[in-house]
Amino acid sequence: GQNIDQPTEMTATEGAIVQINCTYQTSGFNGLFWYQQHAGEAPTFLSYNVLDGLEEKGRFSSFLSRSKGYSYLLLKELQMKDSASYLCAVRDWMTNQAGTALIFGKGTTLSVSS
Amino acid sequence: GAVVSQHPSRVICKSGTSVKIECRSLDFQATTMFWYRQFPKKSLMLMATSNEGSKATYEQGVEKDKFLINHASLTLSTLTVTSAHPEDSSFYICSARDRAGGSYNEQFFGPGTRLTVL
C-alpha cells in the first residue's frame, strides 16, 4: 500500500521562510505534487517533482529525494495569503486502481501571522 | 486556461433522494476525470477514476451502485449520489487531466460541491 505523511499544522510569521516536509511510501512512484488549498476551495497546483533535486518557482520551491521517499515544500517571504492547507500528493502506477490518480497526504495547515 | 467547473457548488437534500454533480473541463478535453471526497480538515480521498466512453474505476470501499459515475463526453463527467443519507454529506471535488498532457500531466481541480443530506 501507500503511506504519505506530513505535519498536521505549522505556524509562521510574515516574511519568514517555512519548510513543509512530506514522506511517502509507494510501490510505483511516478511523481510528487504539491497543492495549495484554501478552506472550502479546490486545490491549486504548486509544483511537481519526478527527479531528485530542487524545483524553484518564485517564492515556492520543492525538493525531492526518491531514495529517501522524502519531499519538502519551501515557502519564502511568507505573506498572510499563504495561510492555507498544503497537500502533498504522489502518483503511483502500481497501487492505485487506475494507476494514474493522485494519492494525497492529509495536508498541512499553515497559519501565517503578522 | 485549464479551468474545471462543478455544478452545483452547494446542495442540500433530504435523506433518500438522489443528487447529481456535474464536472466540466471548460477549455480542454479530458479523457480522464477523477472524483474525490473530502471530510472537514481531512485530505482528499480518491473515490473513482472516470474515463470517457468506458466504465469508471472505483477505489476499494467505494460502492459503485451508491456513487454512479458517467463520463459521456471529453468535457463532462457526472457523479450521482443515489439514495443519499446524512453520512454522505461531504465536500466532493472533481479533477481532470488534459488530454494533451500538459507540462506535468497534472490534474486541474474543480471548485468542489458541498453536499448536505438532512
Side-chain angles (χ1 to χ4, degrees), chain B residues 79-97:
Chain B
L79 168 68
T80 302
V81 183
T82 62
S83 187
H85 287 94
E87 57 265 30
D88 298 324
S89 299
S90 189
F91 193 50
Y92 292 88
I93 304 178
C94 73
S95 70
R97 210 172 62 188

Side-chain angles (χ1 to χ4, degrees), chain B residues 65-104:
Chain B
D65 297 331
K66 175 76 174 174
F67 300 99
L68 300 178
I69 291 173
N70 184 280
H71 193 156
S73 76
L74 287 172
T75 58
L76 172 65
S77 176
T78 60
L79 168 68
T80 302
V81 183
T82 62
S83 187
H85 287 94
E87 57 265 30
D88 298 324
S89 299
S90 189
F91 193 50
Y92 292 88
I93 304 178
C94 73
S95 70
R97 210 172 62 188
D98 193 332
R99 183 186 193 186
S103 301
Y104 312 112

Side-chain angles (χ1 to χ4, degrees), chain A residues 33 35 37 40-45 48 57 87 91 93 95-98 100-107, chain B residues 32 34 36 38 41-44 46 49 57-60 91 93 97 104-107 109-112 114:
Chain A
F33 295 79
Y35 283 85
Q37 186 180 27
E41 298 180 10
T44 54
F45 170 78
Y48 171 71
K57 211 175 184 183
L87 308 175
R91 189 160 57 199
W93 288 115
T95 304
N96 165 252
Q97 288 272 2
T100 56
L102 297 177
I103 309 301
F104 283 84
K106 293 183 178 179
Chain B
T32 305
F34 305 91
Y36 294 86
Q38 188 175 34
K41 298 187 178 182
K42 300 290 184 183
S43 191
L44 286 78
L46 178 66
T49 302
T57 303
Y58 289 82
E59 293 304 300
Q60 199 168 15
F91 193 50
I93 304 178
R97 210 172 62 188
Y104 312 112
N105 213 18
E106 71 267 36
Q107 296 175 31
F109 285 83
R114 174 75 59 192

Side-chain angles (χ1 to χ4, degrees), chain A residues 27-71:
Chain A
S27 304
F29 177 81
N30 192 38
L32 186 144
F33 295 79
W34 283 95
Y35 283 85
Q36 181 192 61
Q37 186 180 27
H38 286 97
E41 298 180 10
T44 54
F45 170 78
L46 290 178
S47 69
Y48 171 71
N49 296 73
V50 69
L51 299 176
D52 291 351
L54 187 69
E55 294 285 340
E56 297 187 78
K57 211 175 184 183
R59 293 191 298 117
F60 294 3
S61 303
S62 57
F63 171 83
L64 175 68
S65 169
R66 288 172 296 170
S67 61
K68 295 181 179 179
Y70 168 70
S71 173

